[in-house]
Amino acid sequence: MTDISIRIIGHAGRITLQRPQALNAMTYEMCLAIEAALDTWRDDDTVAVVVLDAEGDRAFCSGGDIAELYATGTKGDYAYGQKFWADEYRLNHKIFHYPKPVISFLQGFTMGGGVGIGCHGSHRVVGDSSQIAMPECGIGLVPDVGGSLMLALAPGQLGEYLGTTAARMNASDAIFAGFADHYVDEAHWPALIATLEATGDTGCISKAATSPAPGPLQAAMPDIDRHFHGVSLGDVLTTLKGEDSDFARDTLKRMSRNSPLAMACTIEALNRLRGPSLTLEKALDLEYRFTARAMEHGDFLEGIRAAIIDKDRNPKWQYADGSVPPMAVSKMLMPLGKMALDFGGTGMKIGFIGLGNMGAPMAANLAKAGHEVTGFDVAGTTAEGVTSATSAAEAAADQDIVITMLPNGDILRAVANDVIPAMKAGATLIDCSTVDVESARAVAAQAEVTGLGCVDAPVSGGIGGAAGGTLTFMAGGTQAAFDAAKPLFDIMGQKAVHCGDAGAGQAAKICNNMILGATMIATCEAFALADKLGLARDKMFDVVSTSSGYSWTMNAYCPAPGVGPTSPADNDYQPGFAAELMLKDLGLSQQAAEAVDADTPMGQRALELYQQFVENEGGKGKDFSAMLPRFFARGRG
Ligand code: NAD
């Protein structure tokens, strides 16, 4: 192949990109050739280091060759792109974990796919011509090839800024942002490469390196942090639009060129990635969730059309005004199940006890992500991809992680008595059921004395969230136990908050559900009043969902059939979230309030109303939003 030269010189495995006429853009074949060379050199004792460079002064590598992706994608063939990205990301992963030093020389443009091969090695050398960027949002993609790892690790909110604006970094900026390590005068690069070839020793790199003059990014950090600390694209755009400054104007101009859906997903992905459990694997997995869907559901094909096919630079983005619904972001970043990126051999052994409405889809998502899951449920239920055990103890034996998803605290305590003695040393017990704080703390104490980690991690998001892998986990326990559990939360959900010590997750859950119970009642009684005042339900929804009365119960889970997004109301109030489970949670909140002497009159009244509904008004077995027909049928007396 003439696009790339692969050879061994002295002690160095040498890879030179040689497509300077195309700014060394990486084709699929080049990607596969680099991977094959790395595989061969791994066990070749003559190769002490790998040196990557490129011909021409204008670019190390300006990105992946996207023309072929467009040609296949516009014909409805999404599999080609999915395979290209999966293979490319595996190469990025291989470079990152390569057991020998990988030294890259990054002159001119290093962008997108170029970052994937040039910025994951052990020694990344930059010079005066270097310009590094993650410009993917401009073609409707999120920063990928593992670039989101560097963005998530960059100082402050710099990652959001670089990812959404595609701003270019000079040598100094790239070192500051964590995309490069050493600045070396480009005139010295040939001699440095010759020394690496001759000696196979990387010591010469730091000796040749000097400090570059500071770049503009460091000085811009106060502005970047101030404007990019919001949790969504909308937040960022609002603060930028609210300021009359050169920085705000310039940043808005850069962002106006990019896909709003891609920018919103970039910000969400960085929020999810940051934290102690960040790994390259996690970054690539999340990136691939987006890219695998980018042709069919994202702006990618339109982005390429405008940039390189028609070259009109006038893409018609899906959300042109920048207001991207959170649901659209969630859909692009949902787990991919069987299609998820596979790095080989990373699966954990998991026991899952309680395969009911919630547990079964959660366990299935873990199995789909490549983990070895063994399940048990007294009712004999099973889950897709999960091996069945004959008892809770059998499901728990010899597992790295045991997860419980059970109806209440008494059952949890009984199951814990069976499984804790069966678990292997150092394993972690994660209870995702909603139970009383006391039971959560008792089980944690019991686990910890036997040397097990334990996390109480109740969830929010219902059966839809369990099936879609978009649950929110609120977790209590030690940092070490939370860190062990976090990779699994990332598969089963979209957010996990470490709320504090044992029991803190349950405390957060019952407070949340006390609000939920009270707002559902408030929403239902308001609809019933509106009905009686002759106000059409869809008009009521239109007003309230965008006015100060809005809430999750109105906007996302509307109790009125045929109004708002699909909800259990549209399915004859089949749960969903059963009224008796809401009654249980309200009971837990009042039990906790009693124990700590907290005044919770709304929670208490919600408890009474759900009790009446479940016990005397036929609410048992119905969704908790079935309060609406109940209110509608009643008068004031
Ligand atoms: P579910 O009743 O459908 O599932 C519970 C499962 O546990 C059942 O299949 C049951 O057979 C099994 N089980 C009971 N005792 C057992 C034992 N000793 N050993 C093994 N299995 C046993 O309930 P669900 O809706 O899946 O909810 C589970 C938990 O999640 C509850 O604590 C609930 O409050 C909470 N939760 C539910 C929702 C929701 O929308 N359904 C939302 C958030 C939280």
Side-chain angles (χ1 to χ4, degrees):
M1 191 191 308
T2 53
D3 290 342
I4 190 165
S5 162
I6 293 179
R7 69 264 183 221
I8 296 175
I9 302 180
H11 296 283
R14 292 285 285 110
I15 300 174
T16 303
L17 311 183
Q18 38 188 38
R19 277 186 94 199
Q21 72 289 359
L23 299 178
N24 292 313
M26 201 172 58
T27 62
Y28 199 2
E29 288 70 30
M30 289 161 78
C31 168
L32 296 179
I34 296 173
E35 182 169 23
L38 292 178
D39 287 344
T40 310
W41 294 338
R42 180 187 295 268
D43 299 318
D44 182 342
D45 291 341
T46 56
V47 174
V49 296
V50 175
V51 177
L52 259 165
D53 65 351
E55 280 183 6
D57 337 322
R58 292 182 58 210
F60 165 73
C61 174
S62 62
D65 193 345
I66 47 183
E68 187 65 18
L69 294 176
Y70 183 81
T72 52
T74 45
K75 286 191 202 122
D77 171 7
Y78 308 128
Y80 174 87
Q82 287 160 347
K83 180 153 173 38
F84 172 88
W85 279 308
D87 288 345
E88 185 183 22
Y89 297 176
R90 271 193 291 270
L91 170 63
N92 308 143
H93 182 255
K94 201 164 270 187
I95 294 171
F96 185 88
H97 289 291
Y98 203 61
K100 300 178 182 185
V102 178
I103 305 112
S104 49
F105 288 84
L106 310 173
Q107 81 274 18
F109 295 130
T110 297
M111 296 186 178
V115 167
I117 53 169
C119 298
H120 287 309
S122 56
H123 299 72
R124 304 157 302 173
V125 178
V126 281
D128 284 332
S129 72
S130 301
Q131 293 195 61
I132 300 183
M134 297 302 294
E136 288 81 359
C137 285
I139 52 164
L141 281 185
V142 293
D144 65 339
V145 296
S148 65
L149 173 78
M150 271 91 83
L151 294 178
L153 290 171
Q157 309 305 127
L158 182 56
E160 280 86 344
Y161 174 77
L162 291 172
T164 56
T165 61
R168 293 177 186 172
M169 297 174 269
N170 69 13
S172 175
D173 292 335
I175 293 171
F176 174 65
F179 282 71
D181 306 297
H182 302 283
Y183 169 81
V184 178
D185 186 336
E186 287 172 39
H188 299 155
W189 287 11
L192 188 55
I193 292 174
T195 309
L196 286 164
E197 290 168 349
T199 64
D201 182 352
T202 56
C204 55
I205 303 171
S206 52
K207 282 192 196 125
T210 55
S211 294
L217 272 188
Q218 218 160 331
M221 281 309 289
D223 286 330
I224 290 172
D225 284 349
R226 194 171 68 255
H227 288 290
F228 282 83
H229 74 277
V231 293
S232 69
L233 175 65
D235 295 341
V236 173
L237 292 175
T238 302
T239 66
L240 286 167
K241 285 176 187 163
E243 187 177 283
D244 184 17
S245 69
D246 289 344
F247 176 84
R249 268 188 299 279
D250 174 66
T251 305
L252 281 169
K253 191 170 161 203
R254 289 170 188 272
M255 292 173 78
S256 70
R257 300 179 192 127
N258 298 336
S259 153
L261 177 63
M263 290 191 289
C265 289
T266 300
I267 291 173
E268 171 65 18
L270 294 178
N271 283 331
R272 289 196 204 175
L273 288 175
R274 281 206 186 89
S277 65
L278 174 57
T279 59
L280 177 66
E281 289 76 4
K282 195 172 154 187
L284 287 168
D285 177 77
L286 200 50
E287 292 170 2
Y288 189 61
R289 294 183 192 185
F290 185 99
T291 47
R293 297 182 171 103
M295 290 197 190
E296 195 174 359
H297 303 295
D299 284 327
F300 177 64
L301 293 175
E302 174 61 8
I304 304 189
R305 182 205 61 72
I308 67 159
I309 307 295
D310 299 341
K311 295 195 170 82
D312 60 16
R313 310 254 163 216
N314 188 21
K316 305 279 182 292
W317 304 126
Q318 287 179 64
Y319 302 100
D321 59 356
S323 56
V324 182
M327 192 60 83
V329 174
S330 291
K331 280 186 175 165
M332 292 303 287
L333 297 177
M334 261 165 51
L336 286 166
K338 286 196 175 70
M339 271 181 64
L341 261 195
D342 175 15
F343 302 107
T346 52
M348 281 192 227
K349 292 184 68 183
I350 300 169
F352 205 114
I353 297 155
L355 300 170
N357 289 326
M358 297 290 289
M362 290 164 71
N365 278 338
L366 293 172
K368 278 184 208 155
H371 296 295
E372 197 183 311
V373 188
T374 305
F376 173 71
D377 191 297
V378 276
T381 46
T382 55
E384 200 186 332
V386 173
T387 309
S388 293
T390 56
S391 69
E394 185 188 314
D398 200 30
Q399 310 289 8
D400 303 311
I401 302 268
V402 174
I403 301 177
T404 47
M405 192 55 172
L406 298 162
N408 60 48
D410 288 342
I411 295 178
L412 169 67
R413 287 182 194 237
V415 168
N417 282 336
D418 286 344
V419 302
I420 288 176
M423 286 172 68
K424 74 173 181 192
T428 301
L429 175 63
I430 308 173
D431 175 44
C432 295
S433 334
T434 305
V435 302
D436 57 291
V437 177
E438 282 315 302
S439 294
R441 290 192 176 141
V443 168
Q446 195 181 346
E448 277 157 19
V449 289
T450 60
L452 300 172
C454 187
V455 190
D456 53 289
V459 303
S460 169
I463 50 176
T470 56
L471 295 169
T472 296
F473 289 84
M474 35 216 114
T478 61
Q479 186 65 49
F482 178 76
D483 291 347
K486 184 76 176 28
L488 303 188
F489 295 154
D490 292 337
I491 294 165
M492 297 183 286
Q494 61 181 348
K495 184 165 182 170
V497 180
H498 187 193
C499 300
D501 294 337
Q506 296 296 351
K509 172 71 186 175
I510 57 178
C511 290
N512 180 73
N513 278 24
M514 188 172 78
I515 298 172
L516 178 65
T519 45
M520 180 55 86
I521 289 172
T523 305
C524 290
E525 67 183 28
F527 262 119
L529 172 61
D531 284 341
K532 291 187 179 175
L533 292 172
L535 172 62
R537 287 178 170 184
D538 59 336
K539 300 295 174 201
M540 160 96 169
F541 176 85
D542 267 4
V543 172
V544 177
S545 64
T546 50
S547 300
S548 46
Y550 81 99
S551 66
W552 184 84
T553 55
M554 174 61 81
N555 292 35
Y557 203 93
C558 183
V563 179
T566 306
S567 68
D570 300 304
N571 189 21
D572 202 21
Y573 296 101
Q574 295 300 309
F577 184 48
E580 56 269 31
L581 286 179
M582 175 47 83
L583 175 59
K584 177 189 89 168
D585 292 358
L586 288 166
L588 293 176
S589 71
Q590 294 319 293
Q591 185 184 331
E594 178 93 33
V596 295
D597 192 26
D599 185 24
T600 53
M602 300 290 284
Q604 178 59 32
R605 185 71 187 120
L607 168 72
E608 288 157 12
L609 284 167
Y610 271 105
Q611 195 156 22
Q612 204 176 328
F613 183 52
V614 169
E615 292 173 6
N616 309 320
E617 296 171 351
K620 188 155 193 256
K622 294 205 172 122
D623 189 73
F624 83 121
S625 59
M627 275 278 178
L628 173 54
R630 178 253 183 219
F631 273 108
F632 184 67
R634 290 165 59 95
R636 286 184 73 79

